[in-house]
Amino acid sequence: WVGTNRGLDRFDPCTFKSSVDATSPLAGRLISAVKKSGDVLLVLADAAAFIRLNGESPFVQLPFPQAVTAIAAGRDGSFFAGTATGAVYRVLPAGKTYSCVQVSKPSSASVRCIDGFPAGETHAGSDLALVACSDGVVYRLDSSGSASCVATLPRGVNNILTLADRYLFATDDGIYETFLDPSVLRLIDGTDRLCVYALFADDSGCVWFGGWNTGLCRLASPQSGLQVIPHNAMNPDSLQQRIQAVSRDGVAWIATGAGDLVRVDPAGNTRQSFTIPAQPDQVSGGLETTALVADENGSLWLATNRGLFRFVPRAGVFSRVLSLPVFSIAIERMASGQEIGR
């Protein structure tokens, strides 16, 4: 599922074709987020949330009285939607119907992002989600709908990373962490004044991040300090300073704001750069990447302002499969035995 500035497209990797329902209520809308749990899809479009309960049902707009600013999938099959007035709703699909319950409104500030807690995070206990607001307040929601403060940051949160022993918060002024204790909040050394958007943890527990003019940074542990992989304008295999998205497939894959895809080994010592080729219909203005995901077959998918691209690492080849500007990607798990189209 690919969110564009003209609606939601469904791309089938088996036939290598995309399709869009012109009669859908999502047609012509700006899609900024797509979340999936089981057969259910939740889509954020033009400050409204839409739900599709299964493959046969249409998208239906959820009846929220305020503009929706963030959505997330929960670990129990539910979804969350945050609004511009600070209200958070829990969406509970049930077969061919659903229910929406307002679970919290501890702040009147706009909700910036929500983390529905990945499966396996045992420290979450009965908590349902982590919610960050534009005034810097971050709180946990428990199963009763009660809210408890996790941290109060000096700036709004751009991204949340939930780890086994702590939370990380990406902001315009660096990365903050709290070790599951609201009374302990610290700015990670070396990240001050960094505007951070992208966060992820690799299989070894190292944290990688990037943002606006940060280069790529690697944090092996809170005590080890940062390893910065800088940009070198004279080196074609170097990184651009603007990091838009990160993913992994045994190694780190970094999408830069300039349309480059960079492969970095786990130690951060070597890297290889691949550049999306210029397109025949490309007009003036640079190519910018907005999202990056890896599928189960090892291919990487890049959402850009010039379309959706598929990259096959073993061949080092890009192919454009959609020419519309793309802002978000969600991948459905393929049925066993299906093959990617060539």
Side-chain angles (χ1 to χ4, degrees):
W1 294 92
V2 182
T4 76
N5 62 345
R6 301 179 187 177
L8 186 68
D9 284 27
R10 183 181 187 276
F11 178 76
D12 183 353
C14 298
T15 62
F16 225 65
K17 295 180 179 179
S18 63
S19 60
V20 61
D21 182 0
T23 64
S24 167
L26 298 176
R29 293 177 178 266
L30 170 62
I31 310 298
S32 52
V34 184
K35 303 296 180 181
K36 181 178 181 294
S37 180
D39 293 330
V40 184
L41 282 175
L42 189 68
V43 178
L44 178 56
D46 288 344
F50 295 79
I51 193 170
R52 189 200 70 167
L53 294 170
N54 56 60
E56 305 300 325
S57 63
F59 281 97
V60 177
Q61 183 173 349
L62 297 177
F64 298 135
Q66 308 96 2
V68 180
T69 53
I71 60 174
R75 55 180 173 169
D76 59 354
S78 63
F79 293 90
F80 296 92
T83 71
T85 60
V88 177
Y89 295 85
R90 190 181 184 196
V91 183
L92 299 162
K96 295 183 179 180
T97 186
Y98 65 90
S99 60
C100 295
V101 180
Q102 182 174 331
V103 291
S104 182
K105 193 180 185 298
S107 170
S108 60
S110 174
V111 175
R112 291 282 295 270
C113 54
I114 305 175
D115 182 1
F117 289 133
E121 296 297 348
T122 55
H123 65 75
S126 62
D127 291 339
L128 298 176
L130 204 64
V131 180
C133 298
S134 59
D135 59 359
V137 174
V138 182
Y139 60 90
R140 281 193 297 259
L141 289 176
D142 65 21
S143 55
S144 68
S146 298
S148 58
C149 182
V150 172
T152 301
L153 285 79
R155 296 289 294 270
V157 177
N158 298 324
N159 206 339
I160 300 173
L161 179 61
T162 301
L163 301 175
D165 61 343
R166 65 193 191 277
Y167 303 121
L168 298 183
F169 307 110
T171 76
D172 290 350
D173 290 323
I175 300 177
Y176 291 81
E177 67 178 355
T178 176
F179 287 84
L180 312 184
D181 182 346
S183 65
V184 179
L185 176 72
R186 76 178 190 95
L187 177 67
I188 294 180
D189 292 341
T191 69
D192 56 308
R193 300 182 182 178
L194 296 181
C195 183
V196 180
Y197 296 128
L199 277 172
F200 86 101
D202 64 24
D203 295 332
S204 67
C206 294
V207 174
W208 300 75
F209 66 88
W212 184 266
N213 289 334
T214 65
L216 176 65
C217 300
R218 176 178 179 266
L219 180 66
S221 71
Q223 296 77 30
S224 65
L226 292 179
Q227 176 190 11
V228 180
I229 304 175
H231 171 57
N232 180 351
M234 302 302 293
N235 181 358
D237 289 335
S238 183
L239 290 166
Q240 297 289 331
Q241 289 294 84
R242 184 178 173 188
I243 307 296
Q244 286 291 92
V246 289
S247 185
R248 70 175 185 269
D249 184 21
V251 296
W253 287 96
I254 315 301
T256 75
D260 291 328
L261 182 63
V262 183
R263 179 188 186 276
V264 183
D265 73 357
N269 298 321
T270 61
R271 52 188 181 268
Q272 185 178 11
S273 180
F274 304 88
T275 300
I276 297 176
Q279 303 302 308
D281 57 350
Q282 187 165 325
V283 295
S284 60
L287 186 146
E288 296 185 2
T289 303
T290 55
L292 171 66
V293 297
D295 65 26
E296 294 179 341
N297 295 276
S299 295
L300 298 169
W301 299 85
L302 292 88
T304 79
N305 61 337
R306 304 299 183 194
L308 176 67
F309 292 83
R310 179 191 181 212
F311 177 74
V312 181
R314 61 180 176 273
V317 175
F318 289 94
S319 56
R320 186 168 70 165
V321 298
L322 191 67
S323 59
L324 293 173
V326 178
F327 299 93
S328 56
I329 311 174
I331 294 182
E332 284 191 290
R333 186 180 299 275
M334 294 185 298
S336 178
Q338 286 186 327
E339 294 183 356
I340 283 283
R342 295 297 191 267

